């Protein structure tokens, strides 16, 4: 059965949610792992949804210049967008949204976010909260709270689309309503509405009622509408 939600704003993660950059991301982290003799699979298992600097700090060998290594990784990401595409249905959904009703909240830096959205053929929102704009990355709620504030809505009136554990935790901590995109099966995804991608997701907007969002997905629990 389709799920109907009402909200004042939609907040989107980028990588894995709006943009499929999996191939490029994996290539970059494999370069980093090879550079330092690390296990790429272990890094990839924990890097998703986390700011680059935090992953570097967690895995780089002692004595590594974390800031310099992060800059190297970002340069690799900026230069390699091969295979980066929009998640199915994302183009159509974003085109239907009023500019003042949606924002991007990403663990990527601002320049990389702009680069990947362009590579995927997606528009940039008026409000973009990147890794450069927060003191703490996800699972901190800081980014989602900031985006809601910039849009002039209470976080509890915002629906968040996320594909990663850290992002889902951040959305919940902010008081937003998280919807899982894709196949992530972590604890924070349990019992949440889920869509495979944005195919068939529709949204109608009005100045009086905000957004009426229809998700073509079955949900395991009854979910109240947002106001």
């Amino acid at each position: 059965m389709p799920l109907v939600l009402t909200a004042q704003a939609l907040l989107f993660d980028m990588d894995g949610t709006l943009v499929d950059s999996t191939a490029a991301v994996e290539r970059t982290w494999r370069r980093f792992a090879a550079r330092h003799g690390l296990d790429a699979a272990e890094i990839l298992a924990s890097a998703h949804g986390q700011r680059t600097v935090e992953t570097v700090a967690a895995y780089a060998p002692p004595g590594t210049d974390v800031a310099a290594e992060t800059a190297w990784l970002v340069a690799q990401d900026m230069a390699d967008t091969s295979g980066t595409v929009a998640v199915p249905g994302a183009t159509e959904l974003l085109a239907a949204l009023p500019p003042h009703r949606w924002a991007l909240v990403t663990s990527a830096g601002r320049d990389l976010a702009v680069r990947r959205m362009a590579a995927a053929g997606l528009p940039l929102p008026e409000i973009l909260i990147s890794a450069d704009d927060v003191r703490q990355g996800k699972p901190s709620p800081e980014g989602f709270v900031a985006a809601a504030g910039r849009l002039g809505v209470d976080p509890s009136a915002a629906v968040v689309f996320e594909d990663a554990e850290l992002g889902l935790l951040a959305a919940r901590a902010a008081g937003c309503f998280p919807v899982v995109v894709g196949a992530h099966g972590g604890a924070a995804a349990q019992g949440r509405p889920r869509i495979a991608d944005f195919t068939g997701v529709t949204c109608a907007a009005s100045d009086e009622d905000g957004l009426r969002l229809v998700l073509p997905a079955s949900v395991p629990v009854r979910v109240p509408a947002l106001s």
Side-chain angles (χ1 to χ4, degrees):
M1 290 288 292
L3 173 66
V4 178
L5 298 172
T6 58
Q8 294 301 311
L10 304 184
L11 309 180
F12 297 88
D13 173 53
M14 184 180 70
D15 291 307
T17 299
L18 289 176
V19 174
D20 182 356
S21 57
T22 304
V25 169
E26 288 190 358
R27 286 193 296 268
T28 294
W29 284 115
R30 290 188 188 282
R31 293 186 193 107
F32 170 76
R35 183 175 164 97
H36 295 287
L38 301 171
D39 184 342
E42 182 181 350
I43 296 171
L44 287 166
S46 64
H48 192 50
Q50 190 172 56
R51 294 189 298 178
T52 300
V53 65
E54 290 158 348
T55 304
V56 171
Y59 286 98
T64 299
D65 185 331
V66 171
E69 198 66 14
T70 299
W72 180 85
L73 278 160
V74 171
Q76 297 291 306
D77 279 330
M78 290 289 290
D80 182 4
T81 57
S82 178
T84 298
V85 296
V87 168
T91 301
E92 294 78 8
L93 177 60
L94 296 185
L97 298 178
H100 64 289
R101 293 286 188 183
W102 72 282
L104 194 66
V105 182
T106 175
S107 295
R110 180 169 293 268
D111 290 345
L112 181 57
V114 171
R115 181 90 167 92
R116 284 190 176 151
M117 290 288 281
L122 294 175
L124 282 174
E126 294 179 354
I127 305 301
L128 164 57
I129 305 297
S130 74
D132 304 327
D133 303 312
V134 296
R135 291 166 296 177
Q136 293 182 304
K138 302 170 185 178
S140 165
E142 182 181 352
F144 289 120
V145 171
R150 293 275 300 277
L151 289 170
V153 305
D154 190 275
S156 64
V159 169
V160 168
F161 290 97
E162 263 284 1
D163 74 310
E165 186 76 2
L166 295 180
L168 292 166
L169 290 171
R172 189 170 65 188
C176 302
F177 186 90
V179 174
V180 184
V181 180
H184 174 66
Q190 300 307 307
R192 301 307 311 168
R194 180 187 299 274
I195 54 175
D197 53 39
F198 294 99
T199 302
V201 175
T202 62
C203 189
S206 71
D207 290 337
E208 297 79 17
D209 301 322
L211 301 173
R212 183 179 185 274
L213 190 66
V214 180
L215 308 181
S218 299
V219 291
V221 293
R222 185 167 179 264
V223 181
L226 296 174
S227 59

